Amino acid sequence: ARPSLTAAIVAPAAAPVPMPSVVVRRRAPNAIFAEALGNGLTYSVNYERIFSSPNLVSPWSLGIRGGASYLAYKISNAAGSGVLQLATFPVVVSWYVGLPHHTLQLGFGATVMYVSASTDATGTKYAGTTEGLGLAATAVIGYRYMPEHTGFTFGVGFTPLWSPAKGFLAWGGASAGVA
């Protein structure tokens, strides 16, 4: 007996093979970190908002960060003042490209600086040509580890600064914090 054509059409086929699920790995969207040296010159405390791409083939992220630092240094042994003050405010836009967590960081931005020196009790005036507000262009070329969810984040990089008054400063920094 021959099988009929109708039976072959109606007969159930083999069970479908399940497709593997695609895991989308995104980077944590917020980071708070401290940076030693770097774009803030001596140190800075920073907040960064990170926007990740939905592209699975070429994952990238864009980060926008702002930071602040303040340093006061006694420059006179005389009683009274005689203090050098430095405040910096780095603002940097970074592009992160690479593996989901291990990334190349390429960024650019500006650092607003305020420098002042006060007179001490003996009347010695401490002043320089760079007192007051200043602005320096800055950049970042480095490595950054970024967790998928909440976790430890860190980075290291070359962070040069350039200002019309002082020229080019080859600089670097390292950061660590939570995302």
Side-chain angles (χ1 to χ4, degrees), residues 73-78 80-85 115-129 131:
Y73 181 74
K74 185 176 178 182
I75 55 177
S76 173
N77 288 331
S81 56
V83 175
L84 172 68
Q85 297 177 61
V115 178
S116 78
S118 59
T119 305
D120 69 11
T122 64
T124 305
K125 171 104 173 98
Y126 297 97
T129 59
E131 267 194 314

Side-chain angles (χ1 to χ4, degrees), residues 69-130:
S69 73
Y70 176 76
L71 177 70
Y73 181 74
K74 185 176 178 182
I75 55 177
S76 173
N77 288 331
S81 56
V83 175
L84 172 68
Q85 297 177 61
L86 172 65
T88 63
F89 305 95
V91 177
V92 178
V93 175
S94 293
W95 181 52
Y96 298 100
V97 64
L99 299 173
H101 305 298
H102 303 280
T103 63
L104 170 66
Q105 178 182 6
L106 302 170
F108 65 93
T111 300
V112 177
M113 295 175 270
Y114 176 75
V115 178
S116 78
S118 59
T119 305
D120 69 11
T122 64
T124 305
K125 171 104 173 98
Y126 297 97
T129 59
T130 59

